């Protein structure tokens, strides 16, 4: 599987962040402490491995700190030569969309 882009909105304090043009080889995400590197990895995990349903405590913790907007993650990836776009919204108005 190859990642092309990752976008998060209102995800654990990240208002909006987008990584595009990811390399097919290696990508390095760096920055100072508390800048969101771990939150990006969590967003990727939630996109692929967590259901949008439910409001368990660990999902409520995703809510943006300064906003009532629902957390959202979008991943564009390629697998087996086919390109996909996966979008998930958690909590209020939650959904999953795979194109």
């Amino acid at each position: 599987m190859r990642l092309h882009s990752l976008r998060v909105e209102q995800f654990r304090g990240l208002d909006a962040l987008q990584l595009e043009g990811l390399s097919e080889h290696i990508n390095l995400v760096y920055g100072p402490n508390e800048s969101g590197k771990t939150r990006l990895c969590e967003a990727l995990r939630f996109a692929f491995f967590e259901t949008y349903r439910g409001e368990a405590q660990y999902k409520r913790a995703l809510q943006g700190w300064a906003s009532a907007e629902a957390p959202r993650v979008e991943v564009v990836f390629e697998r087996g030569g086919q390109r996909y776009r996966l979008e998930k919204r958690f909590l209020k108005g939650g959904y999953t969309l795979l194109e």
Side-chain angles (χ1 to χ4, degrees), residues 22-34:
L22 298 174
S23 169
E24 65 182 282
H25 300 289
I26 221 169
N27 294 283
L28 178 65
V29 177
Y30 68 95
N33 290 343
E34 300 297 320

Side-chain angles (χ1 to χ4, degrees), residues 1 3 10-11 28 33 36 46 55 63 67 70-71 77-78:
M1 178 172 71
L3 295 178
Q10 306 306 324
F11 194 94
L28 178 65
N33 290 343
F46 267 79
E55 293 196 15
Q63 188 77 45
S67 174
F77 64 98
E78 186 177 318

Side-chain angles (χ1 to χ4, degrees), residues 43-55:
L44 193 58
R45 183 180 69 78
F46 267 79
F48 285 114
F49 301 113
E50 291 287 342
T51 179
Y52 70 90
R53 293 186 188 112
E55 293 196 15

Side-chain angles (χ1 to χ4, degrees), residues 23-92:
S23 169
E24 65 182 282
H25 300 289
I26 221 169
N27 294 283
L28 178 65
V29 177
Y30 68 95
N33 290 343
E34 300 297 320
S35 62
K37 301 176 301 288
T38 299
R39 288 177 276 175
L40 279 175
C41 293
E42 288 176 338
L44 193 58
R45 183 180 69 78
F46 267 79
F48 285 114
F49 301 113
E50 291 287 342
T51 179
Y52 70 90
R53 293 186 188 112
E55 293 196 15
Q57 179 62 33
Y58 73 97
K59 285 189 182 171
R60 285 195 303 262
L62 300 177
Q63 188 77 45
W65 299 332
S67 174
E69 292 293 316
R72 205 167 136 262
V73 180
E74 179 184 299
V75 182
V76 176
F77 64 98
E78 186 177 318
R79 183 160 195 274
Q82 183 70 34
R83 195 172 180 136
Y84 299 93
R85 185 177 76 87
L86 172 63
E87 181 180 334
K88 279 192 182 175
R89 179 176 171 160
F90 300 94
L91 303 173
K92 181 179 165 186

